[in-house]
């Protein structure tokens, strides 16, 4: 698909999804002032439903490439969206060197990627460990992490909130080969910030 045509399609599809979420889920975006406008960024959010990736894509104000499980390519709609938004597909049961290299290259080129540290929908509720991918990419490339908290919108016509927190800079831990302890520490910090952003203001 030609780059120019793909850009036009992205605008059309993003606008359509935004309109749908605005009408059906009464979309409300908070923390807009925290969204980074330039430089490599890793968007990290909590993962509840299939609506979460589109919510980040349409509100981030930049072209975002999502890391997604390869099985989604079997769904025609998700396969189409993956082509339009240049998704990075990951084989979850083994080390996918191709996806790893693609993500590192994108960030080093100043692009934006997005992923869910929970690894799967409602990962924390299922007792899953927080995945270290975001921390690994941040420490390897120096990219900042943009935490995103999503809450509400459990049903149609119930307002859904996308809350952007202040970007996190982990350059002090930068390393070509980050150790396990540092990865765990940074991963926990990222997830803790995301969780805070999912709490409704009191």
């Amino acid at each position: 698909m030609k780059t120019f045509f793909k850009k036009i399609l992205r605008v059309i599809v993003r606008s359509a999804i935004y309109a749908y979420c605005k009408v059906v889920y009464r979309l409300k975006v908070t923390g807009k002032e925290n969204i980074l406008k330039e430089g490599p960024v890793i968007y990290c959010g909590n993962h509840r439903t299939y609506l979460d990736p589109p919510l980040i894509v349409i509100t981030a104000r930049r072209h975002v490439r999502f890391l997604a499980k390869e099985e989604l390519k079997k769904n025609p709609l998700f396969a189409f969206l993956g082509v339009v938004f240049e998704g990075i597909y990951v084989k979850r049961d083994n080390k996918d060197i191709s996806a790893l290299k693609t993500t590192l290259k994108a960030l080093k080129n100043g692009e934006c990627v997005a992923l869910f540290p929970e690894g799967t929908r409602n990962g924390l509720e299922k007792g899953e460990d927080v995945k270290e991918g975001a921390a690994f990419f941040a420490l390897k490339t120096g990219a900042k992490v943009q935490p995103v908290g999503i809450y509400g919108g459990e049903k149609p016509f119930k307002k859904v909130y996308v809350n952007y927190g202040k970007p996190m800079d982990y350059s002090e831990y930068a390393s070509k080969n980050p150790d396990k302890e540092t990865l765990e520490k940074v991963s926990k910090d990222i997830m803790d910030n995301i969780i805070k952003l999912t709490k409704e203001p009191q």
Side-chain angles (χ1 to χ4, degrees):
M1 193 181 290
K2 298 292 184 179
T3 302
F4 176 74
F5 181 54
K6 193 180 291 185
K7 287 182 178 179
I8 297 298
L9 257 183
R10 276 203 290 267
V11 172
I12 295 171
V13 174
R14 190 182 288 118
S15 298
I17 296 174
Y18 183 87
Y20 171 79
C21 290
K22 196 70 176 176
V23 173
V24 179
Y25 290 96
R26 300 164 58 205
L27 172 64
K28 173 74 173 179
V29 184
T30 56
K32 294 179 182 178
E33 68 280 2
N34 295 320
I35 300 176
L36 288 168
K37 295 185 174 69
E38 58 184 23
V41 181
I42 304 169
Y43 291 85
C44 293
N46 56 308
H47 196 14
R48 316 162 311 148
T49 71
Y50 282 117
L51 188 64
D52 299 329
L55 284 172
I56 293 177
V57 167
I58 65 175
T59 59
R61 298 181 173 182
R62 294 177 65 180
H63 174 39
V64 180
R65 302 181 65 183
F66 244 98
L67 273 76
K69 60 183 181 180
E70 192 178 45
E71 293 87 334
L72 290 178
K73 292 171 71 175
K74 297 177 182 178
N75 181 301
L77 175 59
F78 290 129
F80 169 73
L81 293 175
V83 172
V84 173
F85 291 100
E86 300 177 317
I88 302 172
Y89 290 101
V90 181
K91 296 177 182 178
R92 297 197 298 178
D93 296 330
N94 58 16
K95 292 184 178 180
D96 191 343
I97 301 301
S98 175
L100 182 70
K101 289 182 176 179
T102 299
T103 304
L104 290 173
K105 182 179 179 181
L107 290 170
K108 288 176 180 178
N109 287 338
E111 296 180 46
C112 302
V113 302
L115 52 83
F116 298 115
E118 288 178 273
T120 186
R121 280 175 293 158
N122 300 308
L124 293 183
E125 289 183 17
K126 296 175 182 176
E128 297 279 343
D129 292 329
V130 176
K131 303 300 182 287
E132 299 170 354
F136 175 81
F137 292 129
L139 301 190
K140 287 277 287 186
T141 66
K144 292 183 179 179
V145 175
Q146 183 92 63
V148 188
I150 304 171
Y151 60 93
E154 291 83 1
K155 297 179 180 179
F157 305 108
K158 183 174 181 182
K159 188 175 290 188
V160 63
Y161 294 84
V162 180
N163 187 16
Y164 284 87
K166 293 182 179 180
M168 297 180 286
D169 186 349
Y170 295 104
S171 56
E172 63 180 294
Y173 301 113
S175 171
K176 291 184 178 180
N177 296 293
D179 59 78
K180 182 72 173 175
E181 183 179 350
T182 303
L183 286 172
E184 289 179 350
K185 178 180 179 180
V186 173
S187 297
K188 183 180 183 305
D189 188 57
I190 292 172
M191 198 68 232
D192 286 347
N193 274 271
I194 293 171
I195 292 172
K196 289 177 184 177
L197 293 169
T198 64
K199 308 298 183 184
E200 293 189 45
Q202 301 299 314

